[in-house]
């Protein structure tokens, strides 16, 4: 289509697989070997029993999460096929601060997960979306969407965690958006390739026919399922390892500490890079042993910033901006998590 | 519309397609055999029906496109490495190679909890007469009554598996169950202490049905509901070994 004729208008996102792959696989490998060694030495169970328990725990998380991954990838496909960037821009208020606030909730109408959101935001920036609005949308949308509401609800019910996740995500995303609204200029924030293209001509793609669109939806969904599915598998493996091999006493020691538990969960969120549609089920594995504040920080921080989204961010923002986004989200969630723990009497 | 420089190898598309179909089939088999309840709460099993449909839709669509020689899977970031495909196959490998079993006594790490768990809190227990209460109901009931002795001498009829804490004497064991609120990720072992002269004859992990009475007593420095059995009989593991909290 138009983009093919003008390849410079929409340069491809950099290939994020290369630096990511070895890192993730090495981490997983080391962790698995260490866990199995530790497990066989400490649990005193025969290997086949340990393997069965591990398999049950792993499959349990995976089976509960996979319907949401499938729904998420299908939605992403639908957006890719049927929604044009100007559809989103048209919905925003003119006032920049108001638009930043609204940006936090745009995901409710355009449900995208943390992976789907990056290309969408980039296209919106090129269409002239204010930076602050895009950043708020980017940070909040992975949670602020019906699919993630549903998975969080199924995992935790309408509880402190659900409500807390909503408030925390909205507050932090809007705060960071406003910080950028007040301090930063567009050209300092964005990669040149993500800024408004001269005429924005390539963005006015003709709408697809229903048949074409549905075909594309499924094609995109299949690709995304494998792209994102591996993070889910790795996440499930690690969570199952932790539950099977690490004694609960050891976890409780860190997990019930109102301060230390928060950075631990933040680190886990960053490393696991699990899709926001399914992270609630992983968080469940920690609810028995970890503080509420740390679980909330995990659920709020993970969808905003993690290994894979950070790599994808570098395709949109200048490196300094990526660093700011990471640090702001990290520090705010750390602060919020510890504050919640201290004010809730360590629970 | 970004196009990939390198086309996706044909075999990789087929492998993806087969993986999708196989996962749909695997989940379908879990549903039909009832083994799905080893993994997730029955309340959420409809989600797996949705997953089966979506897997078959995606897999079926991919197969059709491939058969019609339209390698449309080659869109956007659809190109992935063989290693990533292998990762995606891991759930299937575990599902097919490791026998499907619910969590049992071997999965108890760090002891059994004597406190009720779950978000439903204590409220639900009140509607049940004593003989219909399970281990979780009893713990909730016990946590909800104002004085520990309030339930003394109530009749007990419960099923669970035998678990021994390291510091238990030869005449004590724990009647334990795994609770689950969503899936095995949040599975948690709970239990009630039992004082039984012939406790030593019971194998660790064996399922038993105990009829007797309740007595509040101290265990590990905590007031807990202790079962005084009149009859302990071995039973088969229930079709659904988890208690849903």
């Amino acid at each position: 289509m138009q983009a093919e004729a003008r390849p410079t208008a929409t340069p491809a996102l950099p290939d994020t697989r290369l630096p990511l792959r070895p890192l993730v696989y090495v981490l997983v490998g080391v962790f698995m070997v260490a866990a199995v060694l530790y497990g066989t030495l400490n649990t005193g169970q025969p290997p086949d029993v340990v393997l069965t328990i591990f398999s049950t725990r792993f499959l349990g998380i995976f089976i509960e999460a996979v319907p949401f991954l499938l729904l998420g990838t299908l939605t992403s496909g639908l957006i890719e096929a049927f929604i044009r960037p100007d559809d989103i821009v048209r919905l925003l208020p003119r006032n920049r601060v108001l638009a930043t606030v609204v940006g936090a909730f745009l995901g409710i109408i355009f449900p995208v997960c943390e992976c789907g959101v990056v290309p969408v935001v980039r296209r919106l920036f090129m269409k002239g979306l204010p930076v602050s609005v895009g950043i708020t949308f980017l940070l909040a949308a992975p949670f602020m969407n019906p699919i993630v509401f549903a998975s969080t609800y199924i995992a935790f019910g309408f509880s402190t965690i659900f409500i807390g996740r909503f408030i925390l995500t909205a507050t932090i995303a809007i705060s960071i958006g406003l910080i950028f609204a007040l301090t930063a200029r567009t050209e300092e924030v964005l990669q040149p390739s993500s800024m408004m293209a001269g005429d924005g001509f390539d963005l006015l793609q003709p709408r697809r026919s229903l048949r074409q669109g549905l075909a594309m939806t499924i094609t995109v969904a299949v690709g995304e399922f494998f792209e994102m599915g591996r993070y889910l598998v790795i996440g499930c493996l690690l969570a199952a390892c932790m539950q099977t091999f690490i004694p609960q006493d050891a976890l409780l020691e860190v997990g019930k500490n109102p301060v230390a538990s928060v950075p631990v969960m933040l680190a886990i969120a960053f490393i696991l890079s699990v899709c926001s549609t399914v992270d609630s089920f992983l968080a469940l594995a920690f609810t028995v042993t970890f503080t509420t504040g740390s679980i909330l920080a995990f659920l709020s921080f993970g969808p905003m910033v993690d290994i894979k989204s950070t790599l994808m961010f570098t395709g949109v923002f200048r490196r300094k901006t990526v660093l700011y986004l990471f640090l702001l989200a990290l520090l705010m969630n750390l602060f919020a998590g510890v504050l919640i723990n201290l004010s809730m009497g360590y629970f | 519309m970004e196009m990939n420089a390198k086309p996706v190898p044909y075999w990789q598309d087929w492998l993806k397609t087969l993986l999708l179909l196989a996962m749909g089939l695997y989940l379908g088999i879990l549903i039909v055999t009832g083994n799905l309840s080893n993994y997730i709460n029955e309340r959420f099993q409809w989600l797996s029906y949705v997953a089966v449909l979506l897997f078959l839709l995606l897999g079926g669509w991919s197969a059709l496109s491939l058969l019609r020689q339209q390698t449309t899977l080659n869109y956007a970031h659809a190109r992935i490495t063989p290693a990533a495909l292998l990762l995606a196959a891991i759930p299937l490998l575990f599902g097919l190679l490791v026998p499907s079993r619910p969590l049992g006594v071997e999965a108890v790490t760090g002891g059994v909890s004597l406190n009720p768990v779950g978000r439903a809190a204590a409220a639900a227990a009140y509607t049940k007469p004593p003989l219909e209460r399970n281990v979780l109901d009893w713990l909730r009931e016990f946590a909800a009554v104002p004085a520990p002795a309030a339930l003394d001498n109530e009749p007990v009829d419960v099923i669970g598996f035998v678990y021994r804490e390291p510091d238990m004497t030869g005449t004590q064991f724990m009647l334990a169950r795994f609770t689950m609120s969503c899936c095995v990720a949040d599975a948690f072992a709970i239990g009630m202490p039992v004082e039984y002269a012939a406790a030593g004859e019971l194998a660790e992990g064996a399922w038993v049905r105990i009829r007797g009475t309740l007595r509040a007593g101290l265990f590990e420095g905590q007031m807990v509901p202790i079962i005084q059995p009149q009859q302990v009989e071995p039973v088969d593991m229930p079709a659904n070994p988890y208690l849903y909290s």
Side-chain angles (χ1 to χ4, degrees), chain B residues 62-75:
Chain B
S62 305
L64 275 180
S65 331
L66 284 172
L67 286 174
R68 288 195 206 135
Q69 303 287 319
Q70 302 167 337
T71 47
T72 49
L73 299 187
N74 185 11
Y75 173 74

Side-chain angles (χ1 to χ4, degrees), chain A residues 138-157:
Chain A
L138 182 74
L139 297 177
F143 168 65
M144 291 289 170
N145 80 58
I147 296 168
V148 184
F149 287 163
S151 64
T152 311
Y153 175 77
I154 285 196
F156 293 102

Side-chain angles (χ1 to χ4, degrees), chain A residues 30 35 45 154 206 221 246 305:
Chain A
V30 168
Q45 306 276 6
I154 285 196
I246 302 178
V305 181

Side-chain angles (χ1 to χ4, degrees), chain A residues 17 56 64 80 219 243 288, chain B residues 72 75 79 101 182 185 188:
Chain A
R17 281 181 295 257
T56 303
E64 186 75 61
E80 179 81 39
T219 308
Q243 290 198 315
V288 175
Chain B
T72 49
Y75 173 74
R79 185 167 54 92
R101 285 187 48 197
C182 172
F188 197 59

